[in-house]
Amino acid sequence: MKTKSVIVVGAGIGGIPAATHLANLGLHVTVLEKNSRPGGRCDRFSREGHHFDTGPTLFVMPLLYEAEFRALGTSMRERLDLQRVDPTYHLVFDNGSQLTLTSDMKSMQEQLESIQAGSFQGLLRYLQEGNRHYELAMDRLVNRNFAKALDFFNFRNLALIFRLKPLVKHYSNMSTYFDDPRLKTAFTFQDVYMGLSPFEAPATFSLMPYTELAHGVWYPKGGMYRVVEALTDLARQAGVEFVYDSAVERIDTNATRARGVLLADGSRLDADVILANADLPYVYQNLLPQDGMARSLSRKHFSCSVISFFWGVDKTYEQLGPHRLFLADDYRENFECIIRDMSLPGNPSLYVHAPARLDSSMAPRGQDTLIAIVPVGHMSENGEQDWGKLRDVARGHVFRRLRALGIDDLEAHIKFEVTYTPISWRKRYNLVKGSTHGLAHTLTQLAYFRPANRHPRYANLFFVGASTHPGTGMPTAMISGRLVSERISELMTHASN
């Protein structure tokens, strides 16, 4: 009997594990990637001995990674050389005060009590809530498919309305634990990882600060791109074929099925199943016949974007820890400018990453590799944003923030600069509106309410990645790959019976 075939459109963090799971089931899997290497937005480039991760720079939620590598038949620890990053972050506030987040509870107690008396007990209660949210969310919302409404709307899940606090805004919920605005900021900024404002995000996301402190923030030797390389190695070992520099122009369909794909070079490939790992809104808008779903997706809430600066520097800045965040006092105004106005705040919060503090191979000896990330709004429909100007203003804010730490000579020591704006994210990775995290994780775009991983009309067309269930983030994308492979396996089993 002829081996069933699968074409995966895009070699992202969701598509690669999905391809491996399917190949392990005996299917013939081909991954088509428009760029010259795998990883999607979890990308990397090198120049003059400096190495840059252009996507995520934090290895968080290690228990999820561990489970997904195990599901692929291997051990995470065998595939990745991980070191724990502790302290995790160095936070700097506008008044010059600082807070170092660490799993050392004695240090946390001393720091928090110096900011607000009694706040350490508030932290312990907050982490207790975060633990509950983490365990419930992973079990009930993340690690399962929602093929039909009753998979989500059932008596067992009814209590989640109270136990996960989905109707309470995250920042508002902080008043239960802290009074000082700096502490409220310190334990909600992680919502940006989902492309969300803490003033819009559900309090459910207290699970993020919890997992960082309880399970740790880690770093793979060689950088975050090592995760992509490890996953790609597993896929090749399973027999997955990768074809790079191969852009898909259209998914060919009839009334009820996807038949194959048409490539930019004019060639055509047929398959029994098509799995799209490209950004979901892009797939509906550009690769499929136009229908109501494409219009519906365009009206959904998209995540914010970022302007990223990648600097090769001819000296080291040891005073910079691996992860330093500058958090603005006008926290609410920051997010309103980003989410509502789709622009750059006047006094933006921002992040500076120095990977050579963790792995000396990331920069030449005596030099430094620096990455600065400034959250901004996504691209507007009217196209009035001047991203060149906003990039220059954002760069100035990074230099201003660093001068407050005594680093006043950085500009003179930059050997080269590479920048990504929302336009870059759209062009390089087909991210609609340049939204770096795809569709946002608002309450009405979570779990069952997030776009499904199977097309409602074309029975053999499936989706994987940030904008589908369960959502954005590297370990979550790996879960997405496993979940969609389970649905494809069900389809194949049903078709053979």
Side-chain angles (χ1 to χ4, degrees):
M1 192 170 70
K2 181 185 175 184
T3 301
K4 297 290 187 180
S5 61
V6 180
I7 288 175
V8 181
V9 181
I13 295 294
I16 301 172
T20 307
H21 286 297
L22 295 170
N24 286 336
L25 293 173
L27 303 176
H28 181 270
V29 184
T30 303
V31 179
L32 305 175
E33 168 55 49
K34 83 177 190 73
N35 292 324
S36 59
R37 55 188 174 271
R41 72 197 80 179
C42 303
D43 207 349
R44 186 185 192 182
F45 73 90
S46 300
R47 182 178 296 183
E48 298 179 25
H50 300 267
H51 306 291
F52 302 88
D53 286 311
T54 61
T57 59
L58 296 156
F59 190 99
V60 296
M61 309 184 93
L63 301 187
L64 298 190
Y65 279 104
E66 198 167 47
E68 293 312 308
F69 272 100
R70 189 164 54 248
L72 290 167
T74 190
S75 164
M76 176 183 75
R77 300 284 176 174
E78 291 178 0
R79 297 287 173 171
L80 300 172
D81 184 1
L82 294 171
Q83 60 175 306
R84 186 160 184 169
V85 183
D86 199 350
T88 54
Y89 306 99
H90 293 86
L91 309 182
V92 183
F93 301 99
D94 279 349
N95 66 357
S97 61
Q98 299 192 25
L99 175 63
T100 299
L101 299 187
T102 171
S103 61
D104 181 345
M105 287 294 107
K106 187 175 186 299
S107 173
M108 289 296 290
Q109 182 174 13
E110 293 171 354
Q111 293 184 84
L112 265 63
E113 292 297 324
S114 71
I115 294 175
Q116 177 195 322
S119 59
F120 182 66
Q121 288 303 313
L123 173 65
L124 295 180
R125 290 187 293 110
Y126 181 61
L127 293 178
Q128 189 175 38
E129 176 184 272
N131 170 248
R132 183 179 76 243
H133 288 176
Y134 178 89
E135 298 295 340
L136 284 170
M138 295 307 112
D139 178 45
R140 307 282 187 86
L141 304 181
V142 174
N143 266 309
R144 60 183 64 234
N145 277 306
F146 297 109
K148 56 186 182 300
L150 287 178
D151 291 338
F152 180 74
F153 295 104
N154 55 58
F155 183 77
R156 186 167 180 257
N157 281 348
L158 186 61
L160 297 182
I161 295 175
F162 308 100
R163 301 190 68 195
L164 280 177
K165 294 188 174 180
L167 304 179
V168 180
K169 302 303 182 189
H170 196 180
Y171 193 84
S172 298
N173 189 53
M174 299 307 291
S175 297
T176 308
Y177 305 102
F178 307 111
D179 295 326
D180 194 289
R182 289 170 295 178
L183 298 182
K184 295 179 182 180
T185 300
F187 297 106
T188 58
F189 72 81
Q190 296 88 346
D191 293 346
V192 176
Y193 301 164
M194 275 72 69
L196 277 180
S197 159
F199 301 94
E200 295 181 342
T204 310
F205 287 124
S206 62
L207 65 88
M208 288 302 300
Y210 160 74
T211 186
E212 288 182 346
L213 290 175
H215 306 146
V217 172
W218 299 76
Y219 187 80
K221 186 176 182 180
M224 289 296 291
Y225 196 72
R226 277 293 303 130
V227 179
V228 176
E229 293 173 333
L231 292 175
T232 304
D233 287 345
L234 287 170
R236 289 198 180 102
Q237 290 168 19
V240 175
E241 177 187 3
F242 287 86
V243 183
Y244 298 111
D245 299 307
S246 185
V248 171
E249 289 284 308
R250 183 163 62 88
I251 297 173
D252 184 38
T253 62
N254 60 23
T256 60
R257 295 181 62 81
R259 297 183 293 191
V261 296
L262 301 178
L263 305 182
D265 64 5
S267 61
R268 173 194 173 94
L269 294 173
D270 293 332
D272 297 295
V273 171
I274 306 296
L275 173 58
N277 186 205
D279 187 37
L280 184 71
Y282 175 85
V283 173
Y284 273 100
Q285 291 177 18
N286 296 277
L287 303 186
L288 290 171
Q290 292 299 296
D291 59 13
M293 187 60 179
R295 290 189 295 274
S296 174
L297 283 174
S298 69
R299 293 192 295 267
K300 287 188 177 293
H301 187 169
F302 283 72
S303 68
C304 64
S305 190
V306 297
I307 295 175
S308 296
F309 299 93
F310 305 98
W311 291 318
V313 183
D314 66 9
K315 64 173 287 188
T316 59
Y317 290 92
E318 294 295 337
Q319 63 267 54
L320 279 177
H323 304 296
R324 186 172 292 271
L325 286 104
F326 298 85
L327 298 172
D329 283 351
D330 47 353
Y331 196 51
R332 183 185 295 271
E333 289 80 1
N334 253 253
F335 284 103
E336 286 180 350
C337 184
I338 292 169
I339 304 298
R340 183 192 64 196
D341 303 335
M342 291 179 284
S343 189
L344 172 70
N347 177 36
S349 297
L350 56 90
Y351 162 68
V352 178
H353 176 44
R357 296 299 85 74
L358 301 169
D359 183 351
S360 61
S361 71
M362 300 302 281
R365 183 183 296 274
Q367 302 186 32
D368 230 341
T369 295
L370 299 180
I371 301 171
I373 299 176
V374 185
V376 294
H378 61 62
M379 298 173 70
S380 64
E381 299 292 341
N382 57 32
E384 292 179 354
Q385 297 140 311
D386 184 340
W387 291 111
K389 180 179 179 180
L390 291 172
R391 176 202 60 210
D392 293 342
V393 173
R395 183 192 297 109
H397 283 300
V398 177
F399 293 147
R400 172 179 62 84
R401 292 287 200 178
L402 291 175
R403 282 194 294 270
L405 295 180
I407 299 175
D408 54 11
D409 63 345
L410 177 59
E411 291 177 81
H413 290 279
I414 293 176
K415 297 159 52 181
F416 63 85
E417 173 186 274
V418 174
T419 61
Y420 284 13
T421 69
I423 294 174
S424 311
W425 298 112
R426 183 181 66 177
K427 181 179 180 180
R428 291 173 185 270
Y429 309 112
N430 290 336
L431 301 179
V432 172
K433 301 185 181 183
S435 295
T436 47
H437 300 80
L439 295 178
H441 290 68
T442 55
L443 179 60
T444 55
Q445 295 178 181
L446 284 174
Y448 175 75
F449 302 106
R450 201 160 183 81
N453 54 14
R454 185 178 185 181
H455 196 282
R457 179 190 305 170
Y458 309 122
N460 63 333
L461 174 58
F462 295 83
F463 308 106
V464 63
S467 292
T468 60
H469 173 70
T472 194
M474 290 180 71
T476 318
M478 292 177 68
I479 294 172
S480 175
R482 173 172 52 81
L483 293 178
V484 75
S485 68
E486 291 172 1
R487 297 200 71 181
I488 294 172
S489 175
E490 292 170 1
L491 171 72
M492 293 299 194
T493 301
H494 179 74
S496 63
N497 289 338

